[in-house]
Every structure is written in structure tokens, then in C-alpha cells.
Amino acid sequence: MSETQATDTGRVAAVLARYPRHDPGDLVNILHDLQAEFRYLTETALQEAAAYLGLPPAQVYGVTTFYHGFHTEPRGEHTCTVCMGTACHVRGAPRLLEQLERDTGVAAGGTTPDLSLNVEEVSCVGACAIGPLVILDGDTHGHMTADDLSRLVTKLLDNEGRE
Amino acid sequence: MTAKLADPGALARYRDALGDLRSPRQEVIAVCVGTGCRANGAIAVYEALRAKVEALGAVREVEARATGCQGFCQGGPLLLLVPEGIVYEHVRIEDVSEIVEKTVLGGEIVERLLCVDSATNLQCRRDEEIPFYRHQQRLLLRDNGLLDPTSIDDYIALGGYSALSRALEMGPVAVLEEVKRSGLRGRGGAGFPTGRKWEACRNASGDLKYVVCNADEGDPGAFMDDALLEGNPHSVLEGMIIGALAMGAREGHVYVRQEYPVAVERITRAISQARELGLLGEAILGSELYFDVQVSRGGGAFVCGEASAMMASLEGRRGVPRRRLIHLSERGLWGRPTNLNNVETWANVPHIVLKGSGWFSSIGTEGSTGTKIFSLVGKVSNTGLVEVPMGTTLREIVFGAGGGIPDGKAFKAVQTGGPSGGCLPADRLDVPVDFDTLEAEGSMMGSGGMIVMDEDTCMVDVAKYFLRFLASESCGNCTSCRDGLALLHDLLGDITEGSGTRQTIALVEELADTVEATSLCALGTSAVNPVLSTLRYFRDEYLAHVDEKRCPAGVCKALITFSIDAERCNGCTLCAARCPQDAVIGEKKQPHTITQGLCIKCGICRDVCKRDAVLVQ
Amino acid sequence: MNVELIVDDVQVTAEAGESVLDVARHAGRDIPALCHHEAVPTIASCRLCLMEVRRPGRDWVQLTTSCDYPVSAGLVVVTDSARIRKHRAMNLELLLRRAPDAPVLRQLAAQLDVTEPRFAPVTDAPLPDCILCELCVRVCSALGYNALAAIGRGAHKSVGPPFGQMEAPDCVGCGSCYEACPTACIPMEDTATTRAIWGRTFELLACERCGRPITTEAHAATMAAKADLPVKSDHLCDVCKRRIVSERLASPGR
Ligand SMILES: Cc1cc2nc3c(=O)[nH]c(=O)nc-3n(C[C@H](O)[C@H](O)[C@H](O)COP(=O)(O)O)c2cc1C
Ligand code: SF4
Ligand code: SF4
Ligand code: SF4
Ligand code: SF4
Ligand code: SF4
Ligand code: FES
Ligand code: FES
Ligand code: FES
């Protein structure tokens, strides 16, 4: 076993230990915690979660892929999420997403090939008053226009390039 | 660690002691850090204010308090000065010193920060003068502006958990009767009488029963439940404990949407605070009641808001609905009797227990009692959460509290009931909003989403939007819903792209009929509502798309062109510089033109033009 | 407990808890029910087994799937009507997009007069001709192998080995999923000595007596383990087993 694998296993075990009841009902909570730890859900992590909860790996995989919040592919460093909720939609959110997809060449749900940015959409984050909005690495930007978004993302990715 | 409260008397003494610490004259500046205001920079405002106020030290005892959503998100960041009731809107960090110096120390109002009543053009000093609040009856939301949601003491000081004391005194049967008599109906969508549901669960046999709080709030454009859970988590929890008492449940779950991390954090904290004080766990307030609650996060699936799907999700399975042969109240989570209620439903319970069913049922209409919180969003001047008595008309909500449509545009429709609801046109504005009337009008109450649309909203596009959402949220079980919704979306796509014909519309109707008639759960059966209701009320708009290849609202890209009004354009070159396609050409200070072949209709030129010179036709 | 109900104007007796589908089939009705199998839990996915039911005391007729609808006393069931055919045909049209050539669907299409395709076929499904009924997944899990997963959701749902792999590590090659699949879309290839399925190749075990393949060695091993038998018990195919029994019965020494 390689060193990273060994530490990964340790990290998975640490997450699982938060759920001492071995209760299958904790599966989704565990998947959240594992994803927070690794940014995405690796096969190893899912296999271990399955063994820990006594569930068939196929069920764990089925559950993981059922929810749009979980990712089984490596994820990028940054995340730009366009709110596509109804309130934002009627205020022009689709144009924002199109712009973002054009700027990054990645469709919603995808990640740029250099793993710098994830392009995401979400349905309402409860800040409809300032829609349409975009969330860049956890920071919400309200009253967005396609142009503002373009600048925001270009700036972020340019800074990346320079580092 | 605090000692557990041994009995209701101990709770009362605890509250009195808090009261001594907080004089009623205590001045509080409540800064809203709800989702909307937070996204508007409210946290920085709060921190600046707290630093400033703390620096006052002994000079003046003022508390800066971060609260949950106060409802008037449009005005955010929002400040409420207690006890005066002064509301400041759009507060920025730069304003903080002035507020402290003028208002706190000088007793003087900073007029610039007051809200203006657009009808009278007068400044509103106090919350009740603001039109947005004036039209409301804020039974559930009022305390959001008064308490720090991370403090159980704040909740208790405002009378929190006294309904639980009262319920313990009344006993389970009397509590159940009270809830039944109140006429409370579920706020999660279906409007099922809560008392009847509780009774079935109470009568079900089994030692272990569950109560579950549905905080999945999947409606994409609504945040009532988020605001309650973030802003007043103990009120929801207290409702659940009372429900557990009435039904004899020992375990509770709060199933929260993953997109609400703050709500998760708040309710989790509230639960541990309640445990510490003996309001959860063994022998609650010294009684025989045992009840404990845990939080489960959703994974990003709207369908998990559906009861049977939620049970599957809570059991670690795929969130796929099943036909319920036996009612949840008899066989729910892990096959045991279970009662599921929505966040807002639970939050009503303490009020009913405390003030009585008679008082509660005097609010609202005969068939729909109490208040309802609506998330009023879209093309409306005052976006935010509006709590009104059931039976209030759409007009009062949209034009009264909501202040009408901004930018002088005309009202076109209001969508109620969330993604599976319907769009009601202007001639339905005087319809009273209650469960039964909305349904009769071809829409529904749903959980309280209310999206206002103006003349610039294309109804075909809106229907397509909802189908896109629902198709991607279909669990994939049923042929009709899984494939039918995706196809309906494609067919509406044909219409918005100009390749649709009247036959397309007929096929849409035929397919929608089967999806509605043959899908397993309410996601599928009601998914066609937005299509059917827009076809019912806005058929002309569909026909314009297919017959004339025209989008009257100027939304559907394939059917519109961008051009520049030579009269208005002053050749500022702004649009030319920002156009991603270099489609705008023109000399400086000369009217510009758009090369149609290059234009991808991204709309940036229109966004950036300060002279409104870009036309869409 | 037995209940009386009416199926197409005829009074029938059924066991409480039985599905309306089963009862109608016993009464000789031919009902398309592609996702149903007695041995596994019902999920009511294909939406073809539609019927109209009316409960006693109610004045409305409900259109419903029958495989997940339990019988009850006094229920009035109609197994065929214009409304049923119309919606069944539409759902069939939707399924035909996924499996245009599946014989079972073609046959139904002929019965229901579904002719010209009105919708574009699905071309990007990972498993061509799969109608997503999950019978394979359910059967495999009922057998305790849990080798297959239902993956994703909505129109992007699929079935297959977990973790995006081509191979199903927990598969023992029993072939039950293949048998259960209504559209016969699961690729399984048997040679004289091997079976290839779900990306794996298994050795087949031959009958000690006639030499015909019985099942895969991996399957036989798990069966033996379950029954707590030594792996090397008698390896006989069903036909030979039956023969041996009848031979014994017929032997004069008995
Ligand atoms: C597809 C679908 C999504 C739903 N989403 C929610 C939801 O997000 N929140 C909610 O409270 N109820 C939701 N419901 C309704 C619940 O199934 C259930 O009726 C409700 O939680 C019961 O609580 P109540 O009686 O207090 O309204 C949904 C129903 C369906 C069919
Ligand atoms: S109607 Fe749609 S969401 Fe509901 S069970 Fe069927 S496929 Fe799933
Ligand atoms: S709509 Fe977009 S592409 Fe077309 S001219 Fe304007 S900025 Fe350029
Ligand atoms: S931004 Fe407006 S005013 Fe300026 S050049 Fe473009 S169209 Fe003309
Ligand atoms: S062949 Fe493999 S996948 Fe199919 S049922 Fe048998 S064990 Fe499961
Ligand atoms: S492979 Fe066959 S059995 Fe499995 S889901 Fe597809 S059609 Fe059903
Ligand atoms: S719709 Fe975008 S925040 Fe609510
Ligand atoms: S978030 Fe501040 S008022 Fe709603
Ligand atoms: S057999 Fe009933 S839905 Fe498929």
C-alpha cells in the first residue's frame, strides 16, 4: 500500500468513526463528510463506507450517484455555481450560465481539464432578493450580469495562472 | 455546563433570571444575517457594528445582535433597532459609525437609511409603517428579527419552551385535541390536516415511533423553511417535542436540504443546547417524556422531499418513492409509525398550544386557518418573506406587501405552488390565497413559493424552465415521468426555438396527459401543471411562437434579434468593448450597429448600455 | 384471508395482499407487465400494467398500475378500456425509444397499434435496449450477490456494475439477471466451457453425468457455501438429477 493510500485510509476511518452506530441511515451524512474530506468520493472511500455500514458496495454506489450533490470524479480547486432557481431564472440566470460555460468551455456539472474550476448550478440558495446570483468559492455575488461574471471568473483564473 | 431544568417551574425561574439580566429597556441593534443579507455583506456590517458598540463600553449598554432573515430581504443588509422599531435598509459598513453616533448616542434618525413608501413617498421610521410589513401578520417570523438564533437563552427569554411546559401540563390527548381543533393544515404542500395525521400516528401500535421534520425545501425559488430553521430553530424543535409528546414518539429526524449549510449548523446547535437544558433526552422537564432528535442532510434531490422517498433516503437507500400501501403513520421509517411534517407546520405548534386553537382558527379562513409564509420573489419590488393570514388575496401580497412590479413594467403572472404549481394571470389577482381556492384555479398552495412575472417573462420559457428542473429531478423510476418529462422539455424546446408547430402543442398535451395520469408519485403527476396552466391562461403566447415564430416577451433567443436604436445610441463604445463576439461595430461617438451574423444574443450589450439603446425584437 | 372483488364484471376471490395484476392474470387476462417478477420486490417502473379500479364507496375510477395495487374487498377492476390503452400505448412509445427492436415491445406495439415512432430514439444509453426496469438489479440482490447497481437518476439512470467499472466484481455468473431481463439486453455469452457476462469470464461446471454445463464454478461454489456443503458435492444438471430420482424410484431393489 502506498503512503498516500495509507493516509487516505486513515482519513476515511476517522470520518467513519464519527458515526459509531454503524447505522445504514447515516450513509448520506457519511458521504457528505467524506466528500468534504476528499473533495470527491473515491472508490476506496465508498468501499470502506460500505463495509463499515454493512451495505453492498453496489447500493452505496447507487445512492452516491442518485444525489446530484455527490461527485465520483476528481474535482477542481475552485467552484463557480450559478443559481438556476426560479427567482434567478426569471431575472436572467440562464444567460449567466451560458456565459460561464462559454468562458470555461465546460458544461454545468463539469470541471475544467486543468482541475482549476468546477462549473455548477444550484436551485435557490435562499437569497432570491439579490438574484440572479453566483457563488464563487462560497462567496455570494448578487445582481450579476453576464459581463460581471465573465470578469469575476477571468480574474480568478488569471490569478491562478500567475501563482 | 448548565444544569438540566428539573421541571416546568425550573424553566420559568430560568426565564425570570434571564429577564433580570436583560432589562426590557435593553437596546438591541438587530442586524439581519439571513441568507439574503449575508450575501449582501451583512456579516461585515454586523462585525463593524459590534466592535463599535463594544467600544462604547459603559457609556451605553447596547447589544449588537445577529439575527436570521427578517423577511424584508430586498432592503438588505437590514438593521432593526429595538425597542424603538426603527428599520434601516441597505446599511453599509460606512454607515455604522453614523448609526452609533447619531441614533444610539444622539437619539436621532439617519433619514438616508430609512425605507421609503413608494406609494406615498414618505419615509418610514418604524417597522409597522413600512408597506412591506404593514400588510403582514407575522406570527412565525416576528421573532426572527428579535433573537439570536444561536442562543437558546434568547428564545427562552421571549417565552420559548413555555408551550412545551403547557403541553406537558395538558397531557398528550389534550394537546392532540387542540391541534385537531386548530384546523392546522400541513404547510409542505398537500395541506393535509395535521391533527388527523398525528392522531393516526398516536393510535398506531408500536413502541418506537418517529417524528420527522421535512426541511428539504426543494422548491427552487423559495426559502421560508430555511429562514425559520436558520432564524428560529428552537421554534421548530419545540413544535417537534410537543408533537412527540402527543404521538408518543421517541426519536426525531430533521431532514435538511444540503444547500442550507447554515440551517444545518443552527438546528444542530439548537438540538445540543436543548439537550443540555434537559429539553431533549431523558425525562424532559422532569416528565416521563423521552425524545431525541438528529439531523440528516439531503444529498441534492428534490424528490427526497416526498415522504416515501425521504424514508428511503433516511434508511440509506436511493431516494425513490414507492406506492404507500400502508400509511406512513403506521409503517414509515424502518417500518415503524412515523409522522412527517414540514418545518413551518412544526413552527405553528407552539403557538397553538400556548394561545389555543380558538385563537388560531380565528386567523385565516374557515378551511385554511392560521398564517402562511410566502417567498415573494421574481419581478417584484419588495422581494422577501411575507407572512399573511390565509385568504389574503394575491393582489394584496404582490402589490401590497410586494410593492408591485419594478421599473414600470406590467404584471403578467404569478406562479404559486413551486415547480409543480401553476401560473395565474392578472385577472386572477383577486383570488384569495388558501389551499382550496388555489387548487380550483389550476394552481396550488404548495409550500409557499410565489414568483412574480412581468411582461418581459416568456411563459413558454417559464414552463420549459420548470420541466427542465423536474426532468432532472425525476428519480428515474417511472417510464412516464423519467422519459416523458425529458421529452416534454425537448418539445417545448422546439417551440422556443421556432421549429414547433401546432402539432407540437397537441403532442405536448397528449404526452402531458399520460405523465399526469400514470406516474407513481406527485413529482410526476403534478410536473405537468406549469405546462397545463400556461397553456390554459397564456395559449396566445404559445401560438405566437409556433404560428408567427415570435417570442412576444423577447426571451427566446432563436426568435429575437438585438439591434441598436440609432437615436438613443451616443456611440460610447461600451457595448462594442464588451461584446464577446465583436458583433458591435461603429465609430466613437457615432451610432453603433450589430452584425446579426455574429451576434449570439448573449444580451451583454443590453446589460452594459447606459442609454437603453439596445433593442430586442 | 380471502376477499371478493370484481374483475371485468366477474366476481373473483383473491387472497388479501395479492396484487390486482396477479389476480387479473389468474383470471386469464393478458396484461403487459414488463418490470414485474414474483420473486423480487415490486417497483412499478414500466407503467404498462395499467388498470382502472374503483373502491367501494367511492364514485371515481382511478387509473393505476396493477402490479403494486393490492386487492381489497369490493374492489371493481377493469382491465381494458380506451383510457387504459391510450396511456399504455404512450408509455410503450416512450419505452420503444430505448429498445426499438426488443421483441417484447414490438409485439406490444402491434397489439396497441403503435406504428410510426413520434419521438427520437435514445442513442446514448450505456446498455442498448435497456428499459431501466431494474429487474436485473433486484434479482441479483434478492439472490444475495448485489453485483449490480442502479446508477444515477432520471433519464440518465442506468444499470450495471458499480464504480463506473466494466466488470462486476461481485458477480458469480449465475445468469439470473440475463434470464429476468425483459428485453434480453444483457450480453451473456456461453461457450462449451466458459460464460462471459458483465465484463467477466467464468469457467462453466459440467454435469458429471451428461457433460452439459450446469452453471459457473463461482456460482456453484457460493451455492455450496450457502447450503454449507463441501464445494465438491455431486455436480449434476437438473435433467440428470431428475433422471436419477426416477431411476431410483423405478429400481426394483427399492
Ligand atoms: C416531489 C415532492 C417534493 C416535496 N418536497 C417537499 C419539501 O421540500 N418540503 C416539504 O415540507 N414537503 C415536501 N413535499 C410534501 C411532503 O411529501 C409531505 O407531504 C409533507 O412534508 C408533509 O408535511 P405537512 O403535512 O406538514 O405539509 C414534497 C412532495 C413531493 C411529491
Ligand atoms: S413519478 Fe417520477 S419522481 Fe415519482 S417515482 Fe415516478 S419517476 Fe420517480
Ligand atoms: S447580444 Fe451579445 S453577441 Fe449580440 S451584439 Fe450584444 S453583446 Fe454582442
Ligand atoms: S453601449 Fe449603448 S450607447 Fe454605448 S455604443 Fe453601445 S448602444 Fe450605443
Ligand atoms: S449473473 Fe452476476 S450480475 Fe447477474 S444475477 Fe448472477 S451474480 Fe448477479
Ligand atoms: S438490463 Fe434488462 S433487466 Fe436490467 S434494467 Fe435493463 S431492461 Fe431491465
Ligand atoms: S432562486 Fe436564486 S437564490 Fe433563490
Ligand atoms: S435575509 Fe435579511 S431580511 Fe431576509
Ligand atoms: S409491471 Fe407494473 S409497472 Fe411494470
Side-chain angles (χ1 to χ4, degrees), chain B residues 141-349:
Chain B
L141 280 177
R142 190 189 56 107
D143 288 351
N144 264 31
L146 302 180
L147 52 80
D148 170 358
T150 63
S151 156
I152 191 170
D153 287 356
D154 271 18
Y155 183 67
I156 292 179
L158 284 172
Y161 289 107
S162 50
L164 175 60
S165 296
R166 172 103 185 85
L168 287 168
E169 220 172 86
M170 290 162 68
V173 179
V175 170
L176 180 64
E177 279 310 309
E178 206 60 33
V179 172
K180 266 169 70 182
R181 269 199 304 269
S182 74
L184 175 65
R185 292 171 69 173
R187 305 302 196 227
F192 195 83
T194 305
R196 279 207 350 239
K197 216 151 90 170
W198 285 23
E199 186 165 44
C201 184
R202 174 175 172 78
N203 292 340
S205 54
D207 295 339
L208 184 51
K209 295 180 185 175
Y210 297 100
V211 295
V212 181
C213 172
N214 192 340
D216 200 37
E217 192 152 68
D219 180 349
F223 55 103
M224 306 75 52
D225 296 347
D226 178 41
L228 282 173
L229 220 50
E230 269 192 26
N232 197 352
H234 284 287
S235 68
V236 180
L237 198 56
E238 187 178 1
M240 289 179 76
I241 305 171
I242 295 171
L245 169 75
M247 288 174 266
R250 291 173 59 82
E251 275 186 37
H253 284 269
V254 183
Y255 189 98
V256 195
R257 186 169 181 253
Q258 61 136 10
E259 288 86 348
Y260 291 162
V262 179
V264 172
E265 182 199 308
R266 295 273 161 81
I267 186 70
T268 307
R269 187 197 302 246
I271 289 168
S272 61
Q273 290 169 337
R275 267 190 211 130
E276 276 181 28
L277 283 182
L279 296 163
L280 278 178
E282 298 284 353
I284 292 174
L285 288 179
S287 70
E288 287 180 359
L289 179 62
Y290 171 93
F291 180 61
D292 208 350
V293 181
Q294 72 195 68
V295 177
S296 300
R297 282 167 285 174
F302 171 67
V303 71
C304 286
E306 194 276 342
S308 63
M310 180 171 289
M311 299 307 123
S313 180
L314 282 170
E315 292 173 9
R317 292 181 288 119
R318 288 161 58 87
V320 177
R322 287 284 166 257
R323 190 204 288 278
R324 269 171 286 161
L325 303 176
I326 298 167
H327 217 272
L328 215 59
S329 53
E330 280 175 48
R331 205 184 283 172
L333 188 59
W334 302 114
R336 303 204 172 93
T338 302
N339 179 76
L340 174 67
N341 276 125
N342 165 263
V343 171
E344 193 180 331
T345 314
W346 287 119
N348 270 298
V349 171

Side-chain angles (χ1 to χ4, degrees), chain B residues 346-359:
Chain B
W346 287 119
N348 270 298
V349 171
H351 293 274
I352 293 171
V353 168
L354 216 51
K355 294 172 218 155
S357 56
W359 164 84

